[in-house]
Structure formats: C-alpha cells, structure tokens
Amino acid sequence: MRPIVGIISNHYLINDQYPAHANGSMNTDAVSKVAGAMPLTFPGDPSVVGIDELLETFDGFLLTGGRPNVHPEEYGEAETEAHGTFDRNRDRVALPLIRAAVERGQPVLGICRGFQEIAVAFGSTLHPEIRDLPGRTNHRMPPDGTLEEKFALRHDVHFTPGGPFARLMRSETVLTNTLHGQGIKQPGPRVRIDGWAPDETPEAIFIDGAPGFALAVQWHPEWNADDDPVSRPLFEAFGDACRAWRAERSTPLQRAG
Ligand SMILES: N[C@@H](CCC(=O)NCCCC(=O)O)C(=O)O
C-alpha cells in the first residue's frame, strides 16, 4: 500500500456563504503522481482534528500554500494592517503538528505558506511585505492573467553549494515561480536557510537536527510537478521519506500477519 500523506486544507467560503475546507488539486496530483503516495486532505481546524491522531494517521505531511498569513502573534509580534488576512484555525493545527512531526522524524514538506509555518514553528519571524524592503523585488502572484501566467517561472534560486537542496536538485541554481508577499525576516535557531532568490529573499530551508525529512520551499513546486525538473526530485524525495516512515511503522510482528 502507498504511504498516506496528510495535506492540510485552507478554509474557504464557497459562493461567499458556504464554509469549506479545501486545497488545490495540484497538491494532490503532485503527492500521488510524483511522490507516489495517497493524498488525503485534512481540515486545518483544531475543533475537528487532534495533533496526536493526525500523527498516527499519516505517514507524512504536506503544508500547502494559502493566501491568509501566519498570525504575527505566533512569532511574538503585534498585528498590523500590513499582515493582511489570517487563518487562525490553520495556525493552531499546523504549528504544533509541524513541531511534533519534525521532532519524531515524520516527513514534513512545506510550500509557500507552509514554508512560513515551518519557519515560524521553529522560531523564525516574518516580514509582512517583502517588496517594501530595500533591494527586494515583488514576489507576489500577478493579480491578473491565466494560471500559467501566475505560476510562470520568474526568478532563480541559488542553493548553498553542497547543501541538501543543491544535492537533491543536482544543481546550485534553479528557476522557480513566486506567489508570496511575506518572507522570513529572522530564522529561528534551527532553521537553516539553504536557498535564496537573487534579492536575498530566503527560498529554501531545512530544520537542523531533524531526524527525518523536514524541508520547505517558498515557491510552488506542485505546479507542473510531473514535468518540472525542480519539482520532481523534491516530491520524489518526500515520497521516499514517507515510504521509509511507513515501513518502519509496520513492525515485524505486524508483517507476520
Ligand atoms: N500568504 C503567504 C503565503 C502565500 C501563498 O501561500 N501563496 C499561495 C496562494 C496564492 C493565492 O491563493 O493567493 C504570503 O503571502 O507570503
């Protein structure tokens, strides 16, 4: 059986009135077709899911993108208008789930908002609007246009030579899309920045001392994951980590049937 990957959802109001939990089908496609795992979405709402049951149910976790931002009180700062919108329920599931999963070696992959969640979960702070910083460019999703235009490849990411991402991607420089307004301001003590955009915006991190797969990227590798030479190795490595986790969990006694 394939490993089972829990994909955290975002909260939406369908037709501005019908509450829903959902995530983009790009995420489920990438998990199934590239990582080779069964994708199951779970609600980012602590009133309906518990951390322990999530840890026991899934073999790995994908923290997806999302328009709402991590609330600044999660990294000790006051809310301002610049921080935009929030999803406090997702914060209250994602952050403790990330900490618990990473500490026990359960694979975690973060994308965009998920990258920021993993960074904050391990003590980082965030800039609410990086394009306002000196020397930075606008990393936000184009407000108009087709999906192809919004997810178009827009900037290089340079990895630390010999670092985990350079080894994984077999290159020190890759081309990525970009659809975010926030970014890491100060990394936490175990947050290792391993990739940067040309304007020095952090784009790839791993958690130092994590016993398992604990990687995150600020861009969106789920877009065109099947064909993109940068996305494929990332999701394949994540899938391998989830398979290893599942194999370790099925103890010899259980295998005996
Ligand atoms: N809200 C954060 C993370 C941005 C993100 O995850 N974007 C993907 C969703 C795109 C969209 O639906 O707008 C930030 O802005 O940095």
Side-chain angles (χ1 to χ4, degrees), residues 83-168:
H83 287 98
T85 61
F86 306 112
D87 184 340
R88 296 301 278 125
N89 280 335
R90 175 164 164 167
D91 291 344
R92 292 179 180 122
V93 172
L95 299 182
L97 175 65
I98 289 162
R99 294 185 190 108
V102 169
E103 291 310 344
R104 67 187 209 149
Q106 205 160 351
V108 173
L109 173 59
I111 291 174
C112 207
R113 176 186 158 117
F115 165 96
Q116 295 164 5
E117 287 171 334
I118 293 172
V120 168
F122 282 90
S124 305
T125 57
L126 304 178
H127 279 294
E129 191 67 71
I130 56 174
R131 64 182 170 187
D132 293 343
L133 295 170
R136 299 293 185 90
T137 59
N138 181 5
H139 288 241
R140 282 195 173 278
M141 175 179 77
D144 306 309
T146 65
L147 213 51
E148 288 72 17
E149 289 165 342
K150 292 181 177 181
F151 282 88
L153 301 178
R154 284 174 49 201
H155 66 57
D156 284 347
V157 172
H158 304 279
F159 298 130
T160 307
F165 279 91
R167 284 184 274 117
L168 183 61

Side-chain angles (χ1 to χ4, degrees), residues 2-10 21-42 58 61-65 109 111 220-226 232 235 238-239:
R2 299 191 296 174
I4 305 174
V5 166
I7 304 176
I8 196 166
S9 66
N10 287 302
H21 295 288
N23 69 74
S25 55
M26 290 182 251
N27 295 291
T28 45
D29 287 355
V31 165
S32 180
K33 297 172 184 173
V34 187
M38 179 191 285
L40 290 184
T41 298
F42 65 88
F58 297 109
F61 298 96
L62 175 64
L63 288 304
T64 59
L109 173 59
I111 291 174
H220 286 265
E222 77 278 17
W223 170 258
N224 196 33
D226 220 355
R232 175 162 282 280
F235 277 101
F238 175 57

